[in-house]
Amino acid sequence: MSVRERVLDLLFPPKCPFCQKILDNPRAPVCPVCQPELPWLEGKAAERRVDFANSCFSPLAYRDMVPGAVHRYKFSRVRALGRPFAALMAQCLEDHLPQRAGLICWAPLSRERLRERGFDQAELMAREVGRLLSIPAGPALKKVRDTSPQSELEEESARRANARGAYAALPGLDLTGRRVVLVDDVVTSGSTLSECAALLRQEGAEEIWCLTLAQARHG
Ligand SMILES: [Zn+2]
């Protein structure tokens, strides 16, 4: 742990992202009370099919304490929550993907939304997963069109139309033959991730593995 991290831990002691109690063990991502209560996804249940991607892994189902914690992370500017979430995601990736990935990227926010929120939660999680697993993390995509929040759209067709054409690959990106991990916070219909995965494929990515904190029931 760096000096900076140690100072931050003193100023802002790590809290459980689900119940917000200060953690006795600051290195544990979740408190021992929430740990057994969380809707963990095991084995095949942790996988979701996403078009253009090899698969999508998520450690948690999007229910019980999870939606509240994700919402707090997104809207309260509590960046520190990204760390425990990323720890859960890194563990999930290790459990499900035996091969090492060459790059971790994320489904980015639009510039406007980034200005509103102050940070890109998916980027923070992707960078932290990369740090934990020693995989390089970096931007691959940009958002070129603002979309309605997917969570406000019920129909799968509406979600797909909302995501279509909303992203573009960064200029100069060459993913030829690479194994890429694509991070987002929650997967529901998978239309955002499949839109992004299609672009990564176009740039030559050979394998694309999506990774989200939570998987929402869909359909
Ligand atoms: Zn807790």
Side-chain angles (χ1 to χ4, degrees), residues 39-167:
W40 299 104
L41 297 171
E42 308 280 347
K44 278 280 163 200
E47 288 195 41
R48 164 75 57 90
R49 214 181 77 86
V50 165
D51 289 343
F52 303 104
N54 294 70
S55 192
C56 178
F57 308 125
S58 320
L60 294 167
Y62 191 65
R63 57 178 164 81
D64 307 337
M65 293 175 271
V66 178
V70 170
H71 198 267
R72 260 198 307 280
Y73 176 44
K74 265 191 181 175
F75 298 106
S76 70
R77 302 193 169 221
V78 183
R79 288 168 198 241
L81 284 180
R83 262 179 22 194
F85 287 162
L88 305 181
M89 292 160 78
Q91 185 61 56
C92 178
L93 190 67
E94 281 219 304
D95 291 347
H96 288 87
L97 188 66
Q99 317 91 314
R100 174 159 293 276
L103 174 72
I104 298 193
C105 62
W106 55 90
L109 286 180
S110 68
R111 242 200 263 160
E112 193 186 19
R113 204 131 305 149
L114 184 60
R115 221 175 303 131
E116 277 168 26
R117 292 208 193 138
F119 68 102
D120 185 328
Q121 76 280 356
E123 173 178 357
L124 242 57
M125 292 194 285
R127 289 194 185 278
E128 182 66 9
V129 171
R131 195 182 68 81
L132 291 168
L133 300 180
S134 304
I135 302 167
L141 305 166
K142 61 179 173 181
K143 197 153 189 196
V144 291
R145 183 168 63 73
D146 238 326
T147 49
S148 318
Q150 292 287 62
S151 52
E152 287 172 8
L153 303 170
E154 279 293 315
E155 297 285 317
E156 180 165 356
S157 57
R159 285 172 173 255
R160 228 179 296 135
N162 188 43
R164 196 171 299 133
Y167 299 89

Side-chain angles (χ1 to χ4, degrees), residues 16-18 23 25 27-36 38 40 84 88:
C16 172
F18 298 99
L23 292 166
N25 172 6
R27 301 272 65 84
V30 178
C31 82
V33 178
C34 291
Q35 167 75 30
L38 286 169
W40 299 104
L88 305 181

Side-chain angles (χ1 to χ4, degrees), residues 48-51 159 187-195 218:
R48 164 75 57 90
R49 214 181 77 86
V50 165
D51 289 343
R159 285 172 173 255
V187 58
T188 303
S189 69
S191 43
T192 298
L193 287 171
S194 64
E195 186 74 17
H218 180 60

